[in-house]
Amino acid sequence: MRGPAILMASVTPAAPLNKTPLNAVHRALGARMVDFGGWDMPVEYSGIIEEHLTVRKAVGLFDVSHMGEIEIRGPQALALVDRLTPNAAGRLADGQAQYSALLYQQGTFVDDILVHRIGPEHYFLCVNASNQVKDYEWIRSQNDLDAEVEFASDRYVQLAIQGPRAVETLGRLTKTDLSAIRYYWFTRGEVLGAPAIIARTGYTGEDGFEIYVMPEEGGRIWNAVLEAGAGYGIRPCGLGARNTLRLEAAMSLYGHEIDDTITPYEARLGWIVKLGKGDFIGRDALLRQKEEGVRRRLAGLEMTGRGIGRDGYRVFDGGRDIGWITSGSPAPFVGRNIALAMLPVDKGDAGTEVAVQVRSRMVEARVAPTPFYSRK
């Protein structure tokens, strides 16, 4: 889920990299592979810019099988999900999904997640790759209810088909009526005869689907999607383009815009916090922060001087260090150098002039509205 400035190989000797079931497929296609959080993943095939623009204009295919899946079942499955997350899982209908989070007592992020309601006693969580073991252990540690928690990542290959031609592409491989699936809804169906969860979700700012199938079906379906989308200009896409796409759409990335020091209100994700739903982990801290007000908040930046604001670069106001860039890169579709940054609230209004330290020099920037790109 990260771009080329983020996806750097670990400098610490580590255990052999994890591999998705499609690893050999990516290597056969000539993908450039990198160590991403302990996973051997494709960062690009034909080039990040080409892949980015293909998703914006046509359709791209991503292997995101490194993501984690955790299933919660039982009579008190909803009670456990509602305890763990700030969003109102009780409002979900069967076949509906929501963006949410796992929080610590201090209101900061364990992780950001997708919650899918399969049934009243069955919830399916999609979590970040590097956090999946941590998330599973955290959920287990908070579970004293009549609910079973299953680490299910090994049972799924996850493919993302994203872009304005995603419906036509996937539609050639399934009898499921894709037009009936609303945004952030999903259904059980088949893709090429293989059982699948088909969700209208994604991490690119485009329309599209994320499908979950059995690992042994992954390679066959990957190749079929590329064949089905050939007439629409499909490309296989790597994590580099996934990062630049989500940045244009101002979507948060764990370890950057959100982590165990940042709250939803600071990350401009207050809309996932439903204080009125009842108690949940982190509620007291978030209620207190809402009453007192936040001192810092995520903001968009547009570089107006010659330079690229990269992750971790410091932001200045009149020579005073006021914050840092959480994610930054060139934006291939909008044609600007953009960034997200954690800034004091009084410096977060659109149009505010600031400077970014790019190596040894100061480069002009200004606060910009987000998202930088919206398909609407």
Side-chain angles (χ1 to χ4, degrees), residues 60-83:
L61 174 62
F62 301 80
D63 175 19
V64 287
S65 304
H66 61 312
M67 299 290 282
E69 290 81 28
I70 299 170
E71 300 197 42
I72 299 177
R73 297 181 179 85
Q76 292 187 292
L78 173 58
L80 179 57
V81 173
D82 250 346
R83 172 187 291 179

Side-chain angles (χ1 to χ4, degrees), residues 72-85 87-92 98 115 117 119-123 145-147 277:
I72 299 177
R73 297 181 179 85
Q76 292 187 292
L78 173 58
L80 179 57
V81 173
D82 250 346
R83 172 187 291 179
L84 293 163
T85 63
N87 211 334
R91 298 180 186 176
L92 293 174
Q98 68 180 193
V115 177
R117 173 172 156 142
E121 297 186 1
H122 188 183
Y123 290 80
L145 301 174
D146 188 5
K277 75 167 187 171

Side-chain angles (χ1 to χ4, degrees), residues 12-267:
T12 303
L17 295 178
N18 295 304
K19 298 178 180 180
T20 77
L22 298 176
N23 187 272
V25 174
H26 303 316
R27 291 187 173 277
L29 287 171
R32 182 162 73 88
M33 308 294 286
V34 298
D35 175 354
F36 174 69
W39 289 81
D40 190 36
M41 294 296 293
V43 66
E44 62 180 321
Y45 299 83
S46 55
I48 292 173
I49 293 175
E50 287 185 355
E51 293 165 24
H52 181 114
L53 296 177
T54 294
V55 173
R56 287 280 180 256
K57 298 176 180 180
V59 59
L61 174 62
F62 301 80
D63 175 19
V64 287
S65 304
H66 61 312
M67 299 290 282
E69 290 81 28
I70 299 170
E71 300 197 42
I72 299 177
R73 297 181 179 85
Q76 292 187 292
L78 173 58
L80 179 57
V81 173
D82 250 346
R83 172 187 291 179
L84 293 163
T85 63
N87 211 334
R91 298 180 186 176
L92 293 174
D94 291 356
Q96 190 176 11
Q98 68 180 193
Y99 180 68
S100 193
L102 301 173
L103 300 179
Y104 292 112
Q105 292 290 357
Q106 63 268 29
T108 60
F109 285 86
V110 178
D111 202 3
D112 63 329
I113 65 174
L114 292 183
V115 177
H116 306 73
R117 173 172 156 142
I118 293 176
E121 297 186 1
H122 188 183
Y123 290 80
F124 177 91
L125 312 184
C126 180
V127 305
N128 282 301
S130 60
N131 289 338
Q132 56 188 295
V133 174
K134 178 187 72 173
D135 292 352
Y136 173 66
E137 295 299 339
W138 172 252
I139 292 170
R140 287 188 62 201
S141 74
Q142 302 302 314
N143 181 25
D144 57 3
L145 301 174
D146 188 5
E148 175 189 349
V149 181
E150 179 189 4
F151 186 79
S153 300
D154 292 342
R155 295 201 285 108
Y156 296 100
V157 156
Q158 184 183 351
L159 304 180
I161 302 136
Q162 300 282 296
R165 307 307 294 271
V167 172
E168 294 99 320
T169 299
L170 183 58
R172 299 182 66 183
L173 305 176
T174 181
K175 296 179 181 178
T176 299
D177 180 5
L178 300 178
S179 65
I181 306 175
R182 290 173 282 168
Y183 187 53
Y184 266 70
W185 289 72
F186 66 95
T187 188
R188 289 180 178 272
E190 292 186 351
V191 177
L192 283 182
I197 296 173
I198 305 172
R200 201 159 198 162
T201 53
Y203 192 54
T204 63
E206 292 298 335
D207 188 20
F209 301 90
E210 293 178 306
I211 63 172
Y212 303 81
V213 298
M214 295 179 292
E216 58 267 28
E217 298 287 358
R220 181 173 73 98
I221 293 175
W222 169 276
N223 290 330
V225 172
L226 289 180
E227 183 177 348
Y232 308 121
I234 196 171
R235 290 182 187 271
C237 299
L239 299 185
R242 195 163 186 250
N243 182 65
T244 55
L245 288 159
R246 71 91 192 168
L247 180 56
E248 281 189 340
M251 294 178 170
S252 292
L253 172 65
Y254 186 86
H256 293 260
E257 289 67 49
I258 54 178
D259 61 26
D260 60 4
T261 69
I262 296 171
T263 72
Y265 291 130
E266 293 171 330

Side-chain angles (χ1 to χ4, degrees), residues 7 16-17 31 121 163 166 180 208 236 245 271 277 285 299 327 332 341 365 367 370 375:
L7 283 157
L17 295 178
E121 297 186 1
L245 288 159
W271 58 272
K277 75 167 187 171
S327 297
V367 177
T370 56
R375 65 185 175 92

